[in-house]
Amino acid sequence: VLIVDADMRSPSLSKTFEVSNDFGLSNYLAGNDDLSALIQQSQVANLSVMAAGPQPPSAPELLSSQRFTDLIALLRGQFDHVVFDAP
């Protein structure tokens, strides 16, 4: 299972699951293609986390991009379940 923190203005999952928010969703949407470097293992068995990452200038623009749609397809191929935490 992967949980993605899509609340880039007020991220909270990094604190909840004790992972770094230095990188994550915003990095991928801004052009970083290395998904394996952006997904972190949580302390919960079988649960990975993609933190929100650095706050971008325009989160709504990134979330409405084709790159976000492509990301969903990629993640569906890698995980049994993908959960997005959004504002």
Side-chain angles (χ1 to χ4, degrees):
V1 175
L2 173 68
I3 188 162
V4 180
D5 193 346
D7 187 353
M8 291 185 276
R9 289 187 181 156
S10 183
S12 61
L13 291 182
S14 59
K15 291 177 187 168
T16 301
F17 292 105
E18 298 177 355
V19 298
S20 173
N21 193 47
D22 292 339
F23 52 89
L25 178 61
S26 65
N27 297 101
Y28 181 83
L29 296 177
N32 183 338
D33 288 326
D34 189 1
L35 274 179
S36 63
L38 302 176
I39 295 172
Q40 303 172 69
Q41 206 49 48
S42 76
Q43 295 179 4
V44 178
N46 299 314
L47 179 67
S48 297
V49 178
M50 178 182 271
Q55 186 174 359
S58 178
E61 184 178 312
L62 290 177
L63 291 170
S64 64
S65 70
Q66 181 61 44
R67 193 153 170 88
F68 184 69
T69 303
D70 296 342
L71 173 64
I72 294 169
L74 286 170
L75 295 175
R76 288 179 63 199
Q78 293 182 18
F79 293 91
D80 293 329
H81 301 282
V82 179
V83 178
F84 287 87
D85 178 47

